[in-house]
Amino acid sequence: MNTLRLSTREEDLNIAGRIIRDGGLVAFPTETVYGLGADALNAEAVASVYRAKGRPSDNPMIVHIADATGLYELIEGGASGLSEEASKLITNLWPGPLTMVFRKSDIIPDVTTGGLDTVAVRMPSNPTARRLIRAAGRPIAAPSANLSGKPSPTTADDVLEDMNGRIDAVVMGEQCDVGIESTVLDLTGDIPYILRPGAVTREKLMSVLKRSVLYDSSLLERPDAIADPSEGVADTDFKPKSPGMKYKHYSPNASVKLIHGNAEEFREKAKAIGIEAMKRGEKVAILDYDNDPGKAAHKLFAELRELDRQGYSLILIRMLDEEGFGFSVMNRMLKSAGYDIVK
Ligand code: TXA
Ligand code: MG
């Protein structure tokens, strides 16, 4: 298959929209990471997303909409099925990097939700994403546009690295602003639970809802280092509610190790470990994001991919304080490292 490169101009987005309506696959930028989009209501199109990604098909997809009214047909009970809390979140935090899980309506095929009776919905803020959804005239199911197990792509070139020849088209937009995937919030129970932390932090959600919001307990666990971070292998110690979180994720080919400490302590430890590794013939990269979660999120996945291309075999990264957005970024760093933290 020849993968079309499309621009963000209107005529190209109209072509992309038509491909989606016809059951094809189009990768597109969002403010978080690039998505691999298909018509969310077309079971065959959605099944081909799983194939293109090499993704286990019990892993449900996020459905993207451009307008809040697009939500009603997707959820049980329609407009009147929307709780007061969900309405508050929509008013204050959509469009943006927040995905909400609702009970689903019957129009959504099982394959889109991995057989669950709930559906995850997000309204992206990225203008290109919104224009594409409108051009398609359909809700768009889109996982991150990477091969399963690889870091999510945050540039159009990173999408092509994984997907060239496997999908119909890529909308060649900018590098993603946020750089890690959206916050996933489960609103189907009595207490809102964060299933995946992102740029919309727990603190932010609590300030909008004026009540407590909890992390899914799996987000607070620290399993021992995973020896073989091979793709898509379920880690059996891990039973999170968000099915996608049980798979090993975000791993470059290089091994990644995380190191605690202030700038100077990090430099010293990284130097010592790096010198030993270089004696064994390893090619070593050192990444320090100055304890700045915004900067780390924006660059992390793109840098892991770039270092792979350059043949690095060991990547040493300075850890962030796990507060606010730092907690979310550390969630991805820990997974990239297979929980390998240098003591
Ligand atoms: O930022 C993002 O969310 C990006 C962009 C493209 O929008 N998308 C993304 O999709 O990260 P994906 O498929 O890579 O991750 C979706 C996550 C998975 O962890 C999945 O298990 C969870 O959302 N999820 C989807 N539907 C769910 C549901 N009904 N209940 C619980 N978790 C769900
Ligand atoms: Mg993903």
Side-chain angles (χ1 to χ4, degrees):
M1 178 187 299
N2 180 30
T3 300
L4 272 179
R5 272 82 163 157
L6 297 172
S7 76
T8 58
R9 286 197 308 265
E10 174 130 10
E11 56 272 30
D12 275 11
L13 292 183
N14 286 336
I15 295 172
R18 182 161 2 102
I19 294 172
I20 298 230
R21 274 199 304 284
D22 289 346
L25 305 186
V26 178
F28 62 99
T30 81
E31 70 277 20
T32 56
V33 301
Y34 272 73
L36 176 52
D39 178 350
L41 307 182
N42 178 337
E44 253 174 64
V46 171
S48 67
V49 172
Y50 289 111
R51 284 197 296 277
K53 278 181 67 79
R55 173 179 184 149
S57 60
D58 69 342
N59 197 350
M61 287 185 204
I62 295 174
V63 179
H64 296 69
I65 56 175
D67 304 281
T69 50
L71 176 64
Y72 305 149
E73 64 170 353
L74 303 175
I75 63 175
E76 189 182 72
S80 50
L82 205 61
S83 69
E84 208 172 297
E85 294 201 322
S87 300
K88 259 194 216 164
L89 294 170
I90 290 170
T91 307
N92 288 278
L93 298 170
W94 272 8
L98 172 66
T99 296
M100 290 186 248
V101 177
F102 302 94
R103 299 209 176 283
K104 82 176 190 73
S105 72
D106 294 337
I107 68 164
I108 305 170
D110 278 348
V111 60
T112 303
T113 60
L116 297 175
D117 57 6
T118 56
V119 61
V121 187
R122 157 163 138 75
M123 190 197 298
S125 61
N126 179 289
T128 304
R130 301 164 65 74
R131 286 164 62 216
L132 172 65
I133 298 164
R134 292 203 174 109
R138 298 275 198 285
I140 296 184
S144 49
N146 51 286
L147 288 174
S148 195
K150 291 276 159 205
S152 296
T154 53
T155 69
D157 287 332
D158 287 348
V159 173
L160 284 167
E161 179 178 56
D162 285 12
M163 292 296 159
N164 194 20
R166 301 174 75 91
I167 62 176
D168 297 287
V170 180
V171 176
M172 308 285 291
E174 311 267 279
Q175 178 160 1
C176 302
D177 276 343
V178 176
I180 66 168
E181 306 82 353
S182 62
T183 303
V184 178
L185 183 69
D186 184 351
L187 290 172
T188 61
D190 294 337
I191 302 170
Y193 271 94
I194 295 174
L195 305 183
R196 181 176 70 182
V200 174
T201 60
R202 174 168 174 256
E203 292 78 2
K204 180 80 204 174
L205 292 165
M206 294 197 344
S207 79
V208 171
L209 293 176
K210 303 200 168 41
R211 66 173 288 188
S212 98
V213 172
L214 299 177
Y215 285 123
D216 182 44
S217 61
S218 67
L219 298 175
L220 305 170
E221 286 168 14
R222 283 298 152 81
D224 290 338
I226 296 166
D228 170 24
S230 57
E231 285 175 22
V233 178
D235 173 357
T236 48
D237 293 342
F238 228 32
K239 295 198 177 51
K241 289 211 194 70
S242 178
M245 301 298 272
K246 76 176 182 244
Y247 295 102
K248 288 167 188 164
H249 249 136
Y250 316 115
S251 319
N253 297 323
S255 350
V256 178
K257 286 183 189 293
L258 305 183
I259 302 179
H260 267 301
N262 62 31
E264 199 181 319
E265 290 159 353
F266 171 72
R267 216 168 22 245
E268 290 301 312
K269 287 190 210 169
K271 210 164 104 185
I273 295 166
I275 288 171
E276 280 311 304
M278 278 156 68
K279 284 187 197 153
R280 298 192 302 269
E282 304 236 34
K283 188 169 172 185
V284 184
I286 296 178
L287 301 178
D288 181 352
Y289 296 111
D290 305 319
N291 198 24
D292 176 344
K295 178 161 137 188
H298 183 66
K299 294 176 143 186
L300 178 68
F301 290 156
E303 292 194 331
L304 293 180
R305 282 174 171 272
E306 180 56 29
L307 292 169
D308 264 355
R309 283 192 287 269
Q310 293 181 17
Y312 283 86
S313 57
L314 177 62
I315 304 172
L316 304 173
I317 309 181
R318 182 173 161 208
M319 292 172 80
L320 308 170
D321 293 337
E322 292 185 69
E323 284 160 17
F325 189 30
F327 179 83
S328 312
V329 184
M330 278 305 302
N331 171 271
R332 308 311 196 276
M333 277 192 189
L334 284 160
K335 283 167 178 273
S336 300
Y339 298 89
D340 190 346
I341 300 173
V342 175
K343 294 285 167 348

